[in-house]
Amino acid sequence: SSSSESEYDYDFFWRKDTPLTKILDIDTNTKDSHVARDERLLRLTGSHPFNCEPPLSLNYQQGFITPSHLHFVRNHGAVPVVDESEIMNWTFTVEGMVDNPLTLTLKDMIRDFPQYTTPITLCCAGNRRKEQNMVLKGKGFNWGASGVSTSLWTGCFLWDIISKANPSKKARYVWMEGGDDPAKGPYGTCVPLHMVRDTERMIMVAYKQNGEFLSPDHGKPLRCVLPGIIGGRSVKWLKRLVVSDVPSNNWYHYYDNKVLPTMVTNKMAAEEDHWWKDERYTIYDLNLQTITVYPENDERLIINETNESELYEIKGFGYNGGGKRIGRIEVSLDRGKTWTLCDIDYPEDRYREAGYVDLFGGTVNVCDRMSCLCWCFWSTKVEKKLFKSSKDIVVRGMDISMSAQPRNMYWNVTSMLNNWWYRVAIQPGDTADEVKFEHPCIANKAGGWMDRVKAQGGDILDRTWGEDDEDDSGPKVKKE
Amino acid sequence: SSSSESEYDYDFFWRKDTPLTKILDIDTNTKDSHVARDERLLRLTGSHPFNCEPPLSLNYQQGFITPSHLHFVRNHGAVPVVDESEIMNWTFTVEGMVDNPLTLTLKDMIRDFPQYTTPITLCCAGNRRKEQNMVLKGKGFNWGASGVSTSLWTGCFLWDIISKANPSKKARYVWMEGGDDPAKGPYGTCVPLHMVRDTERMIMVAYKQNGEFLSPDHGKPLRCVLPGIIGGRSVKWLKRLVVSDVPSNNWYHYYDNKVLPTMVTNKMAAEEDHWWKDERYTIYDLNLQTITVYPENDERLIINETNESELYEIKGFGYNGGGKRIGRIEVSLDRGKTWTLCDIDYPEDRYREAGYVDLFGGTVNVCDRMSCLCWCFWSTKVEKKLFKSSKDIVVRGMDISMSAQPRNMYWNVTSMLNNWWYRVAIQPGDTADEVKFEHPCIANKAGGWMDRVKAQGGDILDRTWGEDDEDDSGPKVKKE
């Protein structure tokens, strides 16, 4: 390890966790019976395939680095079985429009290319999809707001590998294909070559997560990690890289990870193939997201003369695509009439300030770039009495390009990149001096203000989020 | 010229314009008495310094390439006098954190570095500022919606120059300083080095605009051109490039071209310096903008039984920052309840498809990249009768990262990057079968729906744009 470590407090860098995984009963009769898992993860698609997020507050409580066993998972089929003895001999290829096609083992990759370790936030494009499905069910399953996690990934730049293969000047995309075998063949997708080349983006091929060799759910033994880009492009169990002048022709690339225009209905999407072939609707960079964690859903607060001037800390996290720092996060207690500027903590910057450090066999190199590839944490303190006169807490963030989270939902068939203002409703509690908080909805169970509003016959999308029985100018979604 | 030209129709590439400039009376008693100008340009800050935009419809009518004499201008002071004989000997330096400081003449620059010609849209960060000033006057002067223009620029990559100077690994910014001398010293600002390095961004040092040597208002003889980045960073009359690990310390860099949080009042901005020193509020990339040109302001339309089923073509343009294509543009006639998808034409793609072509002493190299550095043109046709039941036409665009234009204005002290939905109001005309269209406001004169709503005592920012006299949930702006 680096001699400079003694000059700096590196305690924040990494906290060793005790793995809380074991083979669970629910998995024993599936093809994933070889995979140890954390039973606290919320399974969003039944027992198999494994798609899960951690409970929102539990995720937040872990701090900046999410333990690997609590990291969200998106699998399309069974997890490949890879024996410990096969790890270093795992083979992948670099093909297509290159002068020098390559076949590499993981051992070659570690030996032949500089290795780095860096914190990266990954996020599923479907995060917060359940809110859209509450309005009208689209094509995807119900993610809550916690399909986002941060790990220290170790590996090399994907660009170092691609450039060694000497790509053609006409090359525009890098296709990636996994060693899994779900319904439509191995999962594959692609990423524009210019993103791979951009060192600010730190697009990696990684073999360690949080200092350990990859677990089966996270791509054992080798995966791509694309920071700031929707999780669906970070291909696991990497077997093939194909350099091309056109986007990937993989089924999953065409029929997933797009945001179709809002007026495209489920029926149109099913019947009209051209929507899926229009590359303008393919999503790469994540959009800006801020989510409130505290107050939690169903949290109660007694507010009376003795404590109404006390401060309550509203807090949560935010993340963004394309490496862009979230420059401001604002909270409103009056439905957007006025806003309060939040404090933001960027733990990633402490890695940046640390300079070069050896960690897990790679160099921590955050100091080499200006980009922000990780989530940040925001908070603001308000007098408790404000909750008695307010109907909700809404939060929005903006980045350096001033792209703001929208007030209104942009419903779309795949219900991806849903980032309208995260609204926590404030409702009367059980006693006159109690208030109760409601999130929009909760992963894997009923509850939240959307359920309540729908039960009351309200329209979630109207300008008062369905709370008042008056005409509105909110968006409408065609049922078909 | 390239032999391949015969195989392709290059008529679209460039239309030779007759310069419509002369020394105007209004300039004869100012320090700009040496500068010939087009009298159709709208002067936004009196006679001097020269800050102007073309009339909106006239701008649109020019098509993809704006004639140089109609290109918007932003000057901070007098335009430097540069004799024709001095052009090739114009000198600039590369200094700071470099191993190999350089002093170059324009002649050196043309001889020593590869030259390119490429279409680039420039836009002032203050475009559409007048709309914000109508709500509450901030720090800047009134731009309409036409502070945006597209030219063919010829010159070299700024990165080619910087890399020849061999910048330090710790370098993070390139400062740029002009040869002008306004109130606070030569205008200067900076750009992050990683943007300069990114060939997708095509950041240039240019000496020709639309095939002619630069005119005085556009930087004669040499300027920076930063596509996708606010116009205020494209320093004119370039004299110094300074490589640094910190942002520029120029007065204009600190006290301009920032978007402060919306709750920062004019008074707070004047008294609390820390807002201006927070780099998170410095803007580089433009945000996404769509503007309706037709119907024009005060356009009238007779709609009756004989023509109500005829189609009317609503049309305008759009632009975005950071090289990101505008993937969709949507129009609503019911205040955002439902949306229609517009057709979009991207003339820049025809330059991309053309491959390499020699033009004006540089290689057209759009084919080398995937980025979109130019405006696009959108349109949609609607039955005229819809205007009889609709109160307005609103338009919004989205890019590949799904950042959407907001419904609500984000008021800020410098009133920059104003990109809320562009709303054209539909009002009764002079007869029962006539409708009249109103833009928000007009550069340099009264008119538009904002003037009318204010006169009627309405609140521009409420959810009905001040049209109805009911409570609202629109944003509020503190007067102090």
Side-chain angles (χ1 to χ4, degrees):
Chain A
S1 63
S2 161
S3 63
S4 66
E5 280 192 35
S6 57
E7 300 158 26
Y8 200 89
D9 172 18
Y10 291 105
D11 284 354
F12 68 89
F13 259 80
W14 174 237
R15 177 193 71 228
K16 179 78 181 169
D17 284 286
T18 308
L20 295 171
T21 57
K22 59 182 179 184
I23 305 290
L24 301 174
D25 288 347
I26 189 173
D27 289 317
T28 49
N29 289 321
T30 75
K31 289 185 172 172
D32 288 351
S33 59
H34 60 106
V35 185
R37 288 168 175 156
D38 188 316
E39 62 191 350
R40 293 170 298 174
L41 287 169
L42 306 172
R43 293 182 187 229
L44 307 174
T45 54
S47 60
H48 188 80
F50 189 57
N51 291 295
C52 67
E53 66 182 83
L56 181 63
S57 299
L58 181 65
N59 195 0
Y60 183 90
Q61 288 155 10
Q62 308 307 308
F64 180 61
I65 302 288
T66 318
S68 307
H69 49 92
L70 281 177
H71 197 291
F72 81 91
V73 178
R74 174 79 179 94
N75 290 341
H76 290 80
V79 174
V81 179
V82 180
D83 193 79
E84 294 298 309
S85 64
E86 301 169 47
I87 290 178
M88 283 298 161
N89 295 319
W90 178 269
T91 302
F92 66 102
T93 57
V94 187
E95 312 167 31
M97 296 173 67
V98 296
D99 290 341
N100 179 33
L102 303 172
T103 300
L104 298 171
T105 62
L106 175 50
K107 194 193 298 176
D108 297 333
M109 191 204 89
I110 297 172
R111 184 193 60 219
D112 295 348
F113 301 97
Q115 301 296 307
Y116 300 96
T117 296
T118 195
I120 291 169
T121 295
L122 291 181
C123 179
C124 183
N127 202 30
R128 295 184 66 187
R129 180 188 285 131
K130 186 176 181 183
E131 295 168 48
Q132 294 219 353
N133 281 343
M134 296 285 290
V135 172
L136 177 66
K137 177 77 173 71
K139 267 177 68 87
F141 63 84
N142 284 338
W143 287 95
S146 193
V148 50
S149 311
T150 302
S151 292
L152 290 156
W153 295 96
T154 301
C156 68
F157 275 102
L158 174 55
W159 174 243
D160 284 349
I161 295 173
I162 298 295
S163 62
K164 186 173 181 186
N166 200 9
S168 156
K169 208 176 172 205
K170 291 187 189 300
R172 290 292 177 272
Y173 294 91
V174 177
W175 303 5
M176 300 160 282
E177 192 180 280
D180 53 348
D181 193 20
K184 306 289 183 179
Y187 182 85
T189 179
C190 63
V191 59
L193 185 64
H194 70 81
M195 294 186 181
V196 176
R197 213 169 47 212
D198 182 357
T199 53
E200 290 284 309
R201 287 182 172 270
M202 189 76 212
I203 293 178
M204 300 177 75
V205 182
Y207 70 100
K208 280 186 184 173
Q209 180 184 17
N210 293 333
E212 309 284 343
F213 287 105
L214 299 189
S215 62
D217 277 328
H218 294 293
K220 178 182 181 180
L222 191 66
R223 71 175 300 176
C224 294
V225 178
L226 282 67
I229 290 175
I230 59 163
R233 311 265 176 241
S234 286
V235 172
K236 300 191 281 193
W237 315 295
L238 180 69
K239 288 304 290 179
R240 288 176 74 213
L241 296 165
V242 182
V243 175
S244 177
D245 54 347
V246 294
S248 165
N249 62 6
N250 188 283
W251 189 92
Y252 295 98
H253 181 72
Y254 275 117
Y255 297 105
D256 201 357
N257 295 315
K258 285 189 164 61
V259 174
L260 302 187
T262 188
M263 70 292 290
V264 178
T265 62
N266 284 312
K267 186 164 184 286
M268 290 162 72
E271 295 175 356
E272 300 167 14
D273 204 45
H274 69 89
W275 297 109
W276 301 101
K277 296 293 165 67
D278 192 329
E279 272 296 310
R280 293 182 300 176
Y281 307 140
T282 303
I283 50 178
Y284 292 100
D285 284 342
L286 287 162
N287 57 355
L288 200 157
Q289 185 74 272
T290 53
I291 289 164
T292 302
V293 180
Y294 297 96
E296 297 177 272
N297 185 64
D298 207 33
E299 183 171 326
R300 313 285 175 130
L301 203 58
I302 303 285
I303 306 172
N304 54 36
E305 286 179 3
T306 69
N307 73 348
E308 64 180 14
S309 295
E310 289 175 10
L311 297 177
Y312 181 94
E313 187 170 34
I314 303 167
K315 54 189 180 177
F317 57 83
Y319 55 85
N320 196 17
K324 290 185 179 176
R325 185 182 293 271
I326 300 180
R328 71 196 72 188
I329 295 173
E330 299 166 344
V331 157
S332 176
L333 295 180
D334 57 11
R335 302 190 156 181
K337 284 180 184 158
T338 63
W339 296 86
T340 300
L341 192 63
C342 297
D343 295 323
I344 311 180
D345 184 36
Y346 307 90
E348 181 180 11
D349 284 343
R350 296 197 275 282
Y351 293 79
R352 198 185 315 272
E353 291 153 11
Y356 300 117
V357 182
D358 294 330
L359 190 67
F360 309 147
T363 304
V364 175
N365 65 336
V366 184
C367 63
D368 280 342
R369 58 181 186 268
M370 292 179 69
S371 52
C372 292
L373 307 179
C374 294
W375 59 357
C376 62
F377 299 89
W378 59 268
S379 62
T380 190
K381 289 176 179 165
V382 299
E383 285 192 312
K384 287 179 179 172
K385 64 171 164 245
L386 289 175
F387 294 141
K388 297 196 83 163
S389 57
S390 174
K391 291 180 174 172
D392 33 43
I393 304 165
V394 292
V395 61
R396 70 174 179 196
M398 295 175 83
D399 65 20
I400 199 173
S401 334
M402 295 297 107
S403 65
Q405 287 178 252
R407 180 187 171 104
N408 294 325
M409 177 185 290
Y410 188 83
W411 188 91
N412 64 92
V413 166
T414 61
S415 308
M416 285 175 163
L417 296 182
N418 179 43
N419 75 333
W420 66 327
W421 298 350
Y422 196 86
R423 173 177 181 261
V424 174
I426 307 174
Q427 287 283 304
D430 294 334
T431 58
D433 58 357
E434 188 182 75
V435 299
K436 176 177 80 170
F437 299 96
E438 294 173 335
H439 282 227
C441 54
I442 319 303
N444 258 11
K445 59 177 182 181
W449 62 262
M450 288 186 159
D451 263 344
R452 176 178 51 75
V453 164
K454 283 182 82 168
Q456 291 167 347
D459 177 358
I460 288 169
L461 294 191
D462 82 16
R463 77 182 172 94
T464 61
W465 296 282
E467 301 286 10
D468 295 325
D469 186 24
E470 48 178 294
D471 188 27
D472 66 270
S473 58
K476 295 277 171 267
V477 175
K478 274 194 227 169
K479 301 295 176 182
E480 272 324 322
Chain B
S1 63
S2 161
S3 63
S4 67
E5 281 191 35
S6 57
E7 300 160 26
Y8 200 88
D9 172 18
Y10 292 105
D11 284 354
F12 69 89
F13 259 79
W14 174 236
R15 177 191 70 227
K16 180 77 178 169
D17 285 286
T18 308
L20 295 171
T21 56
K22 59 182 178 185
I23 305 290
L24 301 175
D25 289 346
I26 190 174
D27 290 317
T28 49
N29 289 321
T30 75
K31 290 187 171 170
D32 288 352
S33 59
H34 60 106
V35 185
R37 287 168 175 156
D38 187 317
E39 62 190 352
R40 294 171 298 173
L41 287 169
L42 306 172
R43 291 181 189 232
L44 307 174
T45 54
S47 60
H48 187 80
F50 189 56
N51 291 295
C52 67
E53 65 182 85
L56 181 63
S57 299
L58 182 64
N59 195 0
Y60 183 90
Q61 288 155 10
Q62 308 308 308
F64 180 61
I65 300 288
T66 317
S68 306
H69 49 91
L70 282 176
H71 196 291
F72 81 92
V73 179
R74 173 79 179 95
N75 290 341
H76 290 81
V79 175
V81 179
V82 180
D83 193 79
E84 296 297 310
S85 63
E86 301 170 48
I87 290 178
M88 282 298 160
N89 295 318
W90 178 268
T91 302
F92 66 101
T93 57
V94 187
E95 311 168 30
M97 295 173 68
V98 295
D99 290 341
N100 179 33
L102 303 173
T103 300
L104 297 171
T105 63
L106 175 50
K107 194 193 298 177
D108 297 332
M109 192 204 87
I110 296 171
R111 185 194 57 219
D112 295 346
F113 300 97
Q115 300 297 307
Y116 300 96
T117 296
T118 195
I120 291 170
T121 295
L122 290 182
C123 180
C124 183
N127 202 29
R128 294 183 67 187
R129 181 188 284 132
K130 186 175 181 183
E131 296 169 47
Q132 295 219 353
N133 281 344
M134 295 287 288
V135 172
L136 177 67
K137 176 76 174 72
K139 266 176 70 86
F141 63 84
N142 283 339
W143 287 96
S146 192
V148 51
S149 312
T150 302
S151 292
L152 289 156
W153 295 97
T154 301
C156 69
F157 276 102
L158 174 55
W159 174 243
D160 284 348
I161 296 172
I162 297 296
S163 62
K164 185 172 180 186
N166 200 9
S168 155
K169 207 174 174 207
K170 290 186 191 299
R172 291 291 177 273
Y173 295 90
V174 177
W175 303 6
M176 300 159 284
E177 192 180 281
D180 54 348
D181 192 20
K184 304 289 183 180
Y187 182 85
T189 180
C190 63
V191 58
L193 184 64
H194 70 82
M195 294 186 181
V196 177
R197 212 168 48 210
D198 182 358
T199 54
E200 290 283 310
R201 287 183 173 269
M202 188 78 211
I203 291 177
M204 299 177 77
V205 182
Y207 70 101
K208 280 187 183 171
Q209 180 184 16
N210 293 334
E212 309 284 343
F213 286 105
L214 298 189
S215 63
D217 276 329
H218 294 293
K220 179 182 180 181
L222 191 66
R223 72 175 300 177
C224 294
V225 178
L226 282 67
I229 289 174
I230 58 162
R233 311 264 175 242
S234 285
V235 172
K236 300 191 281 195
W237 316 295
L238 181 69
K239 288 304 290 177
R240 288 175 76 213
L241 296 166
V242 181
V243 175
S244 178
D245 55 346
V246 295
S248 166
N249 62 4
N250 188 283
W251 189 92
Y252 295 97
H253 181 72
Y254 275 116
Y255 296 106
D256 202 356
N257 295 316
K258 287 191 163 58
V259 175
L260 302 187
T262 188
M263 70 293 292
V264 178
T265 61
N266 284 310
K267 186 163 184 285
M268 289 163 71
E271 294 176 356
E272 300 167 14
D273 204 47
H274 68 88
W275 297 110
W276 301 100
K277 298 294 166 66
D278 192 329
E279 273 295 313
R280 292 181 300 175
Y281 307 140
T282 303
I283 50 178
Y284 292 99
D285 285 341
L286 288 161
N287 56 356
L288 200 156
Q289 185 74 272
T290 54
I291 288 164
T292 302
V293 180
Y294 297 97
E296 296 177 275
N297 185 64
D298 206 33
E299 182 171 326
R300 312 285 175 132
L301 203 58
I302 303 285
I303 306 172
N304 54 35
E305 285 181 0
T306 69
N307 72 349
E308 65 180 14
S309 296
E310 289 175 9
L311 297 177
Y312 180 95
E313 188 170 35
I314 303 167
K315 55 189 180 177
F317 58 82
Y319 56 84
N320 195 17
K324 289 185 179 178
R325 184 183 293 272
I326 301 181
R328 72 197 72 190
I329 295 173
E330 299 166 344
V331 157
S332 176
L333 294 180
D334 57 10
R335 303 191 154 180
K337 284 179 184 160
T338 62
W339 297 86
T340 300
L341 192 64
C342 297
D343 294 323
I344 310 179
D345 183 36
Y346 307 89
E348 181 179 11
D349 284 342
R350 296 197 276 280
Y351 293 79
R352 199 186 315 272
E353 291 153 10
Y356 299 117
V357 182
D358 293 331
L359 191 66
F360 309 145
T363 305
V364 176
N365 65 336
V366 185
C367 64
D368 280 341
R369 55 179 188 270
M370 293 179 70
S371 52
C372 291
L373 307 180
C374 294
W375 59 356
C376 61
F377 299 90
W378 59 267
S379 62
T380 191
K381 289 176 179 162
V382 300
E383 285 192 311
K384 287 179 179 174
K385 63 172 163 244
L386 289 175
F387 294 141
K388 298 197 84 163
S389 55
S390 173
K391 292 179 175 172
D392 33 43
I393 304 165
V394 293
V395 60
R396 69 173 180 197
M398 295 174 82
D399 66 20
I400 199 173
S401 335
M402 294 296 105
S403 65
Q405 287 178 252
R407 180 188 173 105
N408 294 325
M409 178 184 288
Y410 188 83
W411 188 91
N412 63 93
V413 166
T414 62
S415 309
M416 285 177 162
L417 296 184
N418 179 43
N419 75 334
W420 66 327
W421 298 350
Y422 196 85
R423 173 178 181 260
V424 174
I426 307 173
Q427 287 282 304
D430 293 334
T431 58
D433 57 359
E434 189 183 76
V435 300
K436 176 178 79 168
F437 298 96
E438 295 172 336
H439 281 228
C441 54
I442 319 301
N444 260 10
K445 60 178 181 180
W449 62 261
M450 288 186 160
D451 263 343
R452 175 178 51 75
V453 163
K454 283 182 82 167
Q456 292 166 346
D459 177 359
I460 289 169
L461 295 191
D462 82 14
R463 77 183 173 92
T464 61
W465 297 282
E467 302 285 10
D468 295 325
D469 185 27
E470 50 178 291
D471 188 28
D472 65 272
S473 57
K476 295 278 171 267
V477 176
K478 275 192 226 169
K479 300 295 175 181
E480 273 323 322

